[in-house]
Amino acid sequence: MAQKKSLADLAPQELQGKRVLVRADFNVPMDGGRITDDTRIRATLPTIKYLTDRGAKVLLTSHLGRPKGKTPELTLQPVAKRLGELLGSDVRMAPDAIGPEVRKMAEDLKPGDVMLLENIRFYPEEEKNDPEFAKKLAEEADLYVNDAFGTAHRAHASTAGVAHFLPAVAGFLLDKEISVMGKALSNPERPFVALIGGSKVSSKIGVLENLIGKVDTLIIGGGMVFTFLKAQGLEVGRSLVEIDKLDLARELMTKASAQGTTLLLPVDLVVAPDIKAEKASAVVDADKIPPTEMG
């Protein structure tokens, strides 16, 4: 695996007084505006502290949930509050992700200050990787640090777009994950088992193809299961299925068999009338999903 330039590769003078845009993953579980697990916030602390200790002005950006426009209940304000508690210092909360007010707040930052931009997905341009939006985001900083391993594979404005406008390096969390994954793939201890989830096969094609032949066992979970089950000719009822990826699912299963990778699918499933149902109807065998139910 190619070596990526890391934050540790930069000299202290490259950080002193510079505005550093850090793409973090603060997509934390929430319950009524209360953070129920701050693991992802804690994971980014080493990168943030490294920057502030060297006199950088830190601008953090992240998404939270899947908002449709500017959704008040998906504000990152609770994250700013919790982050401030963990850092033991004030974290300024920007009213937006871009714009004149945000630019002014960024310009007013002093060395060691931390500011959190509002939910980046309040803008549809984020997931479209709109170059003009990425440029506006980049204009607020001198350097870009990607420390969001969970979203680094997505070609969004805050993960891929800004890197076209700013010098870019990996944060400590991203660097660690790349190193661990690289070692696992190049020289794994065996038996080597990978568990892959997600709703769609289409978003995991590269990962699945790369793992087949390298891992001993590949366990498939999440919504993509139903595309594989359907590809085997099984009844999946009203479950999520990518009809245009059935042939791909069959190809992946054939490839796994040919290359000695055991591909495992669930043997039983929870079913309900729809995704919003408060209670499950039953637990059924994977080959016995009722036509009127969804897994």
Side-chain angles (χ1 to χ4, degrees):
M1 184 171 288
Q3 185 66 38
K4 307 297 182 186
K5 190 169 184 180
S6 168
L7 185 56
D9 295 324
L10 301 179
Q13 59 267 28
E14 294 181 82
L15 299 174
Q16 176 64 42
K18 299 295 177 62
R19 286 177 295 173
V20 181
L21 179 67
V22 179
R23 179 46 161 105
D25 183 3
F26 293 148
N27 187 30
V28 295
M30 305 277 285
D31 183 9
R34 183 179 63 86
I35 297 170
T36 57
D37 185 346
D38 65 2
T39 300
R40 289 183 175 179
I41 301 175
R42 291 177 179 275
T44 310
L45 293 179
T47 291
I48 297 172
K49 288 179 178 178
Y50 185 88
L51 289 167
T52 56
D53 287 348
R54 283 154 184 79
K57 306 170 184 178
V58 181
L59 290 81
L60 297 162
T61 183
S62 174
H63 74 283
L64 177 61
R66 297 182 178 274
K68 302 299 181 184
K70 296 187 178 181
T71 311
E73 57 267 28
L74 290 177
T75 177
L76 282 168
Q77 287 179 354
V79 173
K81 181 176 182 295
R82 181 58 183 145
L83 182 59
E85 292 170 351
L86 293 170
L87 289 172
S89 60
D90 181 53
V91 172
R92 303 180 188 188
M93 183 67 212
D96 210 330
I98 58 173
E101 192 173 354
V102 176
R103 175 73 62 80
K104 178 66 166 59
M105 290 181 69
E107 290 172 349
D108 290 342
L109 290 175
K110 294 180 175 56
D113 283 350
V114 179
M115 180 171 79
L116 177 59
L117 306 181
E118 187 53 281
N119 194 335
I120 196 71
R121 282 193 187 167
F122 280 178
Y123 287 87
E125 295 93 332
E126 157 69 357
E127 293 185 85
K128 295 176 182 176
N129 194 13
D130 182 88
E132 284 303 311
F133 178 73
K135 185 178 181 180
K136 289 177 182 177
L137 189 61
E139 285 173 351
E140 297 166 3
D142 306 300
L143 173 72
Y144 171 67
V145 175
N146 191 338
D147 210 32
F149 179 75
T151 58
H153 66 291
R154 301 186 187 281
H156 291 173
S158 68
T159 54
V162 292
H164 292 289
F165 300 100
L166 290 171
V169 298
F172 292 128
L173 177 60
L174 181 61
D175 196 43
K176 175 185 175 183
E177 296 282 5
I178 290 173
S179 298
V180 170
M181 184 172 290
K183 181 178 181 297
L185 290 174
S186 62
N187 186 30
E189 294 183 24
R190 296 191 183 276
F192 184 18
V193 179
L195 171 61
I196 303 295
S199 60
K200 297 181 178 180
V201 178
S202 57
S203 67
K204 299 291 190 301
I205 294 173
V207 175
L208 292 168
E209 290 184 333
N210 192 41
L211 289 173
I212 289 173
K214 289 189 173 116
V215 301
D216 299 301
T217 303
L218 181 59
I219 302 174
I220 305 293
M224 74 170 88
V225 160
F226 304 106
T227 299
F228 281 93
L229 293 177
K230 182 79 171 178
Q232 292 179 329
L234 298 178
E235 170 66 63
V236 295
R238 297 174 55 240
S239 306
L240 173 68
V241 172
E242 290 182 281
I243 296 297
D244 62 335
K245 294 294 183 289
L246 294 178
D247 286 341
L248 172 63
R250 294 186 192 102
E251 289 171 12
L252 290 170
M253 287 187 284
T254 300
K255 181 180 177 181
S257 178
Q259 297 196 19
T261 293
T262 301
L263 194 150
L264 297 180
L265 296 170
V267 296
D268 55 16
L269 302 148
V270 173
V271 295
D274 59 67
I275 197 71
K276 295 181 179 178
E278 293 185 7
K279 291 184 178 180
S281 299
V283 174
V284 300
D285 291 342
D287 61 351
K288 293 182 173 58
I289 300 175
T292 58
E293 301 276 296
M294 70 181 300

